[in-house]
Amino acid sequence: HRPGTPLTSTSFAGPQIVVSVYGPDFFGNDVVRGYGAVHIPFTPGRHTRTIAMFVPESTSTLQKFTSWFTGRRPEFTDPRVVAQGEGREVTRVRSQGFVTISFNVV
């Protein structure tokens, strides 16, 4: 993959780890706190990667209020959406911190 060229479904980008972080909200419901993905390094050694996390957001004020009131926030049902990014350009997301992961590749 050359920098500046978009990845397509036919190009191979290598294996990835998809991270989904959940935690309790104000009412004690388990809600999504963030999604992120990172490619697994191929070279031997210790590698540290920082994953930028994001959460999907409701598109309207009414949807935001309804999701707050019911305790059901928007979330992805398929982890491939996070890994591929295809179709995500029409999804509204908000940055939600970082997760640091370490790999020990042999």
Side-chain angles (χ1 to χ4, degrees), residues 40-84:
I40 299 172
F42 285 114
T43 57
R46 183 175 175 85
H47 305 275
T48 302
R49 300 288 187 261
T50 300
I51 306 169
M53 304 297 284
F54 61 91
V55 291
E57 277 199 332
S58 300
T59 54
S60 72
T61 306
L62 178 62
Q63 286 176 331
K64 287 180 185 179
F65 176 74
T66 304
S67 65
W68 175 83
F69 185 72
T70 60
R72 303 272 309 156
R73 295 183 182 172
E75 60 182 83
F76 296 126
T77 55
D78 188 0
R80 287 180 288 188
V81 173
V82 178
Q84 293 174 347

Side-chain angles (χ1 to χ4, degrees), residues 16-27:
Q16 296 183 51
I17 289 182
V18 175
V19 179
S20 301
V21 179
Y22 289 83
D25 65 359
F26 182 74
F27 301 108

